Amino acid sequence: MRWLIKTDSVIHFLQETLQKSAKLSAFRADLNSEESHQISFFDDFEDHIFKQKACLIKQDDSFYWISPEQTHHLLPQLPKFAHHIEDEDIAEQLNKVVGARKLGLQKNILVTRQQWVLRDNEGKVILRLTATCDSQHCLLTATALRGYEKQARSFAKQMPTDNEITEIAPDYHLLLAHSGFTPTTYSLSLKFNLTADMPPEQAVHQYAYTYFNLARENEAGILAHNDDIEFLHDYRVAIRKIRGLISLFKKQLPKTLISELQQELAFLAKKTNELRDLDVYLHNKKSFFNRLDTNHQKGLEQLFSAFEARQRGCRRELKSWLSSQNYQQKVDHIYHLISCLLQIDSQQSIQPCLQKLLRKNYKKVLATGQSIHAKSPDEEVHELRLSCKKLRYLTEYMQQLPAAQAASQIQKKLKKLQNSLGDFNDNSVQQNKLRQFAENAPATAAQAAIMLAETYASEQKSVRKKIQKQFAEFAKADTQQLVKQLSQA
Amino acid sequence: MKTLACYSMKGGVGKTATAVNIAWFAARAGYKTLLIDLDPQGASSFYFRVKSKKKPWDEKFFQDHEYLLKHIKEADYENLDVLPAHFSFRNFDINLSDISKPEKGLKKVLKGFKSSYDLIILDCPPTISNLSEAVFYTSDLVLVPVIPTTLSERTLDQLYQYFDEYKLNTDKITPFFSMVQKQKHMHADSITRLKERYSSFIDVTIPFAADLEKMGEHRQPLGEFASGKPVFTHVQSLWQAVRERL
């Protein structure tokens, strides 16, 4: 039982509550202990921890990871990243919440914790109360003693029902939430108010404009935080989403405009390719070292120090590009091209366009997938990956239309297959990069790179088998039914 | 799970004070402890301010474990629960005589607590009866407070004889001197005699102390209001000795 009350005096509040009932009027509240702590909250740029109703806090020089169920895990120090935590279980828990995001100070709150007991008219403790308070609010948590549940219920009845907290979240999270803290609204998953009869140009404009703004929101992060690789990741994803959507509409929209916009966006993306690859390599450094035996560790060290050096170089180049006049001109030009979409006088509506595209792209995925067999060249698997990607962008977009629940169901069905196709592609890319690197690297580093490439090659074979199985699952009649439902709605 | 009985067929020797204080120390030491007040007078329930439900138990105590669970109450102290006495407990002898192996009746009931508690403390009524036999059979240790007087000597002898007669394990009997007044010659002489006769005596004596009597006034274990007093240290030593023997 928990309540959030606005008070600066717990005793006053408790006394008033007890006086409300004749049954409880002879009861009394005793304060057992009281302590004050400065609580520092830590989170990432997207306030993921707060949004997941968990807490990463510092209290009296100790750091705690607190799950929504209030399980406290003591951490030896403040981790800069989830993967820096030595305890694998906790690292995994935090990783699920913040991923590769960097952790930093969010807010400080002075918190007082009081332990109270409620005694009956014979002085027997019937209820334990913990009051966790900041300057304005108190979170009262009551635990009935065994055998005294009835009396505890009588007490609970006198508490203001509107103030009862039923959500699962740590006390500190609730205090932070009521202290005036507002989490960022930043998210890669945006909501659009699409209507079925909206012209496609207007809808694409809305999507492209919003996602381009989102990409640009990450510029400051890329410039300021060398080690939070998610700013660059999100920048690229936002641009990719726009490119994905306009390529779907290439036949409905003016060819020259679309082609120019595609070129400009591709140019921005290309500028970030190498750094993103290096970011991923270095983020997964530990897993690379686990792939090879001790004989190759020295070679790997050399390999990764070369990657680190190149990463620093790429980062410098990207920062300089993002701060340049040329970049600003590109950005302005892209905004201009996006705005041109609004000047087109269209007679079409978005929904039938999307439905037609859905049928077409679903058929393409089926045809490409069905032609793949154990000995098909890698290029055909990549072809399937690209078709699936388009289909996903399409369903993501259709999800924004009213009554399009089937879109998210198709996405769910597509997810496993897409993940495996992504792994397959990553494997190819990694192999090529490592072999390329080996050509100009010193002997030990080159050997380690070749060995790593070999591990990827053998992994790729098993991924291919998985893809065939997952495609068969996706191609079943129920997906077809969902596509039919969505394309006829 | 261990079971400790605080027993004496003589009244007013400090059984309840011992049960209450040992339970408090055990809980403080982290043992999940359940004190069962078997004495219908309900003195240890009174000390812990715990009341039983009004409805009589009838024969359910030895037959319905779920029913027993519903009567357990949490004391004010962490790790400590109390099963309060009920006046109907005076019928325990009759209840036990109705079951096939009365001496095993209590053990069967307590077995159900194995996963919930580390230590069960039985505060026993001052009788020798079917219930006492079941207590002796069930307990790992029978803690016997002995006031060093002639009558108490006689009572302890009778207890040993009873154990022999019913072929119970006399090693379980763990006497200690209670309410000792060092200035009394009779107490000193009795202590010497009993120590010679029974090597099982715990080497801790609990002095006669007003603070032990004040437990009733405070309705609290000694540790809650007299932790700085010498008698507290004696009772603490008793707990340590009991802990070693359990």
Side-chain angles (χ1 to χ4, degrees), chain A residues 323-336:
Chain A
S323 318
S324 70
Q325 194 72 33
N326 283 347
Y327 176 70
Q328 196 49 51
Q329 279 168 1
K330 281 268 175 220
V331 165
D332 293 343
H333 188 51
I334 290 168
Y335 275 127
H336 167 72

Side-chain angles (χ1 to χ4, degrees), chain A residues 109-238:
Chain A
I109 298 182
L110 185 67
V111 174
T112 306
R113 267 178 94 86
Q114 298 173 337
Q115 302 294 343
W116 292 83
V117 289
L118 205 64
R119 293 182 188 274
D120 66 12
N121 45 359
E122 295 215 15
K124 171 75 184 83
V125 176
I126 56 141
L127 194 74
R128 291 195 178 101
L129 284 158
T130 303
T132 310
C133 312
D134 64 9
S135 56
Q136 288 182 317
H137 297 89
C138 269
L139 199 73
L140 274 182
T141 308
T143 316
L145 266 65
R146 183 175 179 173
Y148 297 94
E149 292 81 3
K150 202 175 151 190
Q151 290 91 328
R153 277 195 297 275
S154 298
F155 171 77
K157 261 189 197 168
Q158 304 308 323
M159 293 292 282
T161 44
D162 291 350
N163 299 41
E164 191 170 355
I165 303 277
T166 49
E167 66 179 297
I168 297 168
D171 290 355
Y172 289 147
H173 166 87
L174 294 167
L175 271 193
L176 180 63
H178 287 86
S179 69
F181 172 77
T182 320
T184 174
T185 51
Y186 174 91
S187 168
L188 263 182
S189 310
L190 297 171
K191 294 260 180 289
F192 297 90
N193 297 319
L194 291 191
T195 54
D197 57 353
M198 192 181 254
E201 294 80 5
Q202 193 187 330
V204 174
H205 169 269
Q206 195 186 356
Y207 191 88
Y209 182 76
T210 316
Y211 267 109
F212 195 56
N213 278 341
L214 191 85
R216 299 212 57 215
E217 269 188 63
N218 285 284
E219 288 167 5
I222 297 169
L223 291 168
H225 303 278
N226 285 343
D227 39 8
D228 191 333
I229 61 173
E230 291 302 277
F231 289 112
L232 181 61
H233 168 263
D234 286 10
Y235 177 88
R236 286 167 55 84
V237 170

Side-chain angles (χ1 to χ4, degrees), chain A residues 351 354-355 358 391-415 418 474 478-479 481-487 489:
Chain A
Q351 192 171 33
L354 287 170
Q355 287 171 332
L358 179 70
L391 186 62
R392 206 207 57 224
Y393 284 136
L394 199 53
T395 52
E396 269 182 18
Y397 199 58
M398 289 186 90
Q399 222 178 324
Q400 309 284 341
L401 285 166
Q405 294 86 342
S408 62
Q409 286 173 273
I410 297 171
Q411 272 179 56
K412 272 184 200 158
K413 289 192 174 289
L414 203 56
K415 200 174 181 223
Q418 261 211 301
F474 175 74
D478 52 345
T479 316
Q481 192 56 38
L482 287 169
V483 172
K484 202 173 164 188
Q485 192 187 323
L486 194 61
S487 56

Side-chain angles (χ1 to χ4, degrees), chain B residues 129-199:
Chain B
S129 58
N130 279 344
L131 176 66
S132 327
E133 195 186 344
V135 165
F136 301 153
Y137 183 82
T138 306
S139 305
D140 297 290
L141 217 65
V142 179
L143 195 58
V144 187
V146 177
I147 303 174
T149 60
T150 321
L151 277 181
S152 288
E153 281 182 44
R154 195 169 158 265
T155 312
L156 187 61
D157 292 340
Q158 283 170 334
L159 182 64
Y160 272 99
Q161 282 160 20
Y162 184 89
F163 265 66
D164 285 337
E165 194 178 323
Y166 286 87
K167 294 189 172 50
L168 291 160
N169 181 4
T170 51
D171 288 348
K172 288 182 180 179
I173 302 175
T174 311
F176 70 94
F177 292 109
S178 170
M179 299 163 81
V180 176
Q181 289 171 278
K182 275 189 179 167
Q183 67 279 21
K184 286 190 178 175
H185 289 299
M186 186 179 70
H187 277 202
D189 295 345
S190 176
I191 287 173
T192 314
R193 275 196 304 278
L194 280 168
K195 273 191 172 174
E196 276 171 13
R197 209 175 323 156
Y198 301 111
S199 59

